[in-house]
Amino acid sequence: MATRISHDPRPQPPEQPGDDECCRSGCDPCIFDLYQQELQRYRESLAQWEARQAARQGSEDTAQ
């Protein structure tokens, strides 16, 4: 029976903008607002990925 290899890379955090990247003119959305939104999505994706890894590890442990 062939072993199925799952490709599930760990999510990568968004790159934080530098302080000099904000124009300070009250843009809506500001680059920092967009970063916070991306950071929240990253945290959610990371939590889901960690849950998948834990489930995968648990199923591998019971298969042995």
Side-chain angles (χ1 to χ4, degrees), residues 3-9 49 52-53 56 60:
T3 303
R4 182 175 170 221
I5 298 174
S6 175
H7 182 68
D8 188 11
W49 180 85
R52 286 192 306 273
Q53 298 307 307
R56 187 171 295 130
E60 288 175 2

Side-chain angles (χ1 to χ4, degrees), residues 16-46:
Q16 183 173 1
D19 290 336
D20 60 337
E21 293 184 61
C22 176
C23 66
R24 313 248 189 277
S25 66
C27 294
D28 186 23
C30 174
I31 191 168
F32 291 111
D33 296 332
L34 296 174
Y35 170 70
Q36 288 301 318
Q37 291 171 4
E38 287 296 317
L39 190 58
Q40 182 60 35
R41 279 193 284 272
Y42 162 72
R43 289 177 178 149
E44 292 168 1
S45 295
L46 182 60

